[in-house]
Amino acid sequence: MLGIDAAWTQQEPSGIALIVDNGSGWALVEAAASYAVFLPPEKDAGPVVRHRGSIPNPGSLLAAATAKLGAPVDVVAVDMPLSMTSIVGRRASDNMISTLYGARHASTHTPSMTRPGKLSDELREGFERIGYPLTVKDPVSRALLEVYPHPALIELAAADRRLPYKQSKIRKYWPDVGPVARRANLLQTWSDIVGLLDVEISGVTAALPLPPIDARGYELKAFEDALDAVVCAWVGACALTGRARAYGDENSAIWVPVSSST
């Protein structure tokens, strides 16, 4: 199971996570904050200090994942608008998720011809060419799915509303406290999410140690991207095992886990 927190532009890094059913449940194989870290290192390449964006290559990503697993990937779950036809605006899937989760502050962002635009088309087409077509219902092995972490985390946490875990929005989340308290609140939210995911996927806590409270902004973003990728992989696992629903139509669908309390 491959989860990708795909950036809507090639300038921003994309998180990627790989999980496997080891016979006693799902286990995390790897979580990375960019494609470059997940892929085999280039010759003479030094350690990645700051993650950069790049154009995703589905073939290379699946080859790397297969090498790490020792077996083919079943499902690729991507946090990016995907559609059988070119995206020009809001889709049925966007509207359905926003209707269901808007009151809980988890509406979808509106996609357009430019964001993600061509990047979305090429990602979908690239996976389809190598045998992973976009799937809007009844996923089976070798499928590409669209997922969305905000409603997924609402269901995972059985929360009343969207979890405050985006580092770029901490001033909005906690306007009445100082910077250090905001950081502390963010790290606590991340810790809670990691703990919940670790119940579903063993090894998450060990693989995602929290950054220090004085970490730089790009270091916080790298952690967040890797965390989102693990959420994507978890949603893919839920879909494959019948624990997720698809919201959309014949052109696009966003998969959301069914709450364990449902």
Side-chain angles (χ1 to χ4, degrees):
M1 193 71 57
L2 192 65
I4 303 176
D5 176 37
W8 287 26
T9 69
Q10 67 185 65
Q11 287 75 33
E12 295 297 323
S14 300
I16 184 164
L18 184 64
I19 65 175
V20 64
D21 185 347
N22 61 14
S24 58
W26 293 100
L28 181 64
V29 177
E30 184 175 343
S34 65
Y35 298 137
V37 172
F38 186 79
L39 294 171
E42 296 181 2
K43 185 178 180 180
D44 300 326
V48 175
V49 177
R50 186 164 185 169
H51 299 274
R52 306 290 182 183
S54 60
I55 298 176
N57 183 314
S60 296
L61 294 174
L62 281 174
T66 299
K68 296 171 193 288
L69 287 176
V73 171
D74 289 318
V75 168
V76 181
V78 181
D79 175 19
M80 174 187 275
L82 300 169
S83 177
M84 303 290 189
T85 58
S86 293
I87 297 170
V88 296
R90 292 190 68 80
R91 307 158 298 157
S93 52
D94 294 310
N95 294 333
M96 291 179 72
I97 291 295
S98 296
T99 297
L100 288 167
Y101 290 94
R104 299 162 83 177
H105 302 268
S107 296
T108 62
H109 300 290
T110 298
S112 69
M113 293 178 65
T114 56
R115 294 186 77 255
K118 184 179 178 182
L119 196 61
S120 170
D121 291 338
E122 292 180 347
L123 185 71
R124 174 185 56 79
E125 292 167 359
F127 276 111
E128 185 173 3
R129 280 194 298 269
I130 53 179
Y132 289 77
L134 180 62
T135 301
V136 297
K137 62 179 181 179
D138 302 328
V140 293
S141 183
R142 306 292 178 91
L144 174 67
L145 309 179
E146 179 184 344
V147 300
Y148 184 34
H150 283 304
L153 286 172
I154 285 175
E155 299 299 343
L156 177 64
D160 293 332
R161 57 177 291 164
R162 166 178 169 166
L163 302 187
Y165 81 104
K166 293 294 181 180
Q167 62 93 19
S168 64
K169 297 182 181 295
I170 58 175
R171 288 187 179 183
K172 180 179 179 180
Y173 296 148
W174 301 289
D176 300 325
V177 301
V180 174
R182 289 178 191 140
R183 286 281 186 101
N185 289 342
L186 178 66
L187 294 179
Q188 181 59 57
T189 303
W190 282 351
S191 177
D192 293 341
I193 293 171
V194 167
L196 289 168
L197 286 170
D198 198 70
V199 173
E200 303 288 333
I201 305 166
S202 64
V204 174
T205 299
L208 292 178
L210 294 178
I213 198 166
D214 60 349
R216 297 188 178 188
Y218 67 83
E219 294 172 318
L220 296 175
K221 184 62 166 61
F223 179 91
E224 181 187 301
D225 289 343
L227 179 63
D228 266 335
V230 176
V231 176
C232 292
W234 172 65
V235 179
C238 290
L240 188 62
T241 55
R243 295 173 52 209
R245 294 173 183 162
Y247 297 95
D249 59 13
E250 69 278 5
N251 289 317
S252 69
I254 298 172
W255 292 83
V256 180
V258 177
S259 174
S260 59
S261 63
T262 300

